[in-house]
Amino acid sequence: DGIRDYKVTGVQTCALPISKETAGQDDVFIGRIREDIGLPNGLAFWCVADNLRKGAALNAVQIAEELIKQANQ
């Protein structure tokens, strides 16, 4: 069926990710990857994530970790 699993930290591929199934997880889920007929060399895909975890809380932690790392250099 053309579905392949790619191993990228924080990203999971699946046939059709659904918000209900991804709630409470930090990963971003990508599915239905296709050639974009409107753009040369373009891709179209379905992307789902728990925006409260990835968008707000996790992003704040990642920014704090980066600031600490930079301060210790």
Side-chain angles (χ1 to χ4, degrees):
D1 60 10
I3 298 171
R4 288 177 273 173
D5 288 325
Y6 295 92
K7 302 300 180 201
V8 178
T9 302
V11 176
Q12 293 188 30
T13 57
C14 53
L16 183 58
I18 300 171
S19 298
K20 182 178 175 181
E21 296 172 353
T22 64
Q25 299 183 53
D26 292 335
D27 288 348
V28 176
F29 293 79
I30 306 292
R32 299 186 56 118
I33 303 169
R34 292 176 168 60
E35 182 179 342
D36 187 333
I37 61 172
L39 291 170
N41 300 317
L43 290 176
F45 56 88
W46 186 261
C47 178
V48 178
D50 184 330
N51 291 332
L52 292 178
R53 289 181 64 96
K54 186 64 178 178
L58 182 59
N59 194 40
V61 169
Q62 289 172 331
I63 290 170
E65 288 173 343
E66 184 63 29
L67 290 172
I68 291 167
K69 184 169 66 172
Q70 289 179 14
N72 291 328
Q73 288 181 354

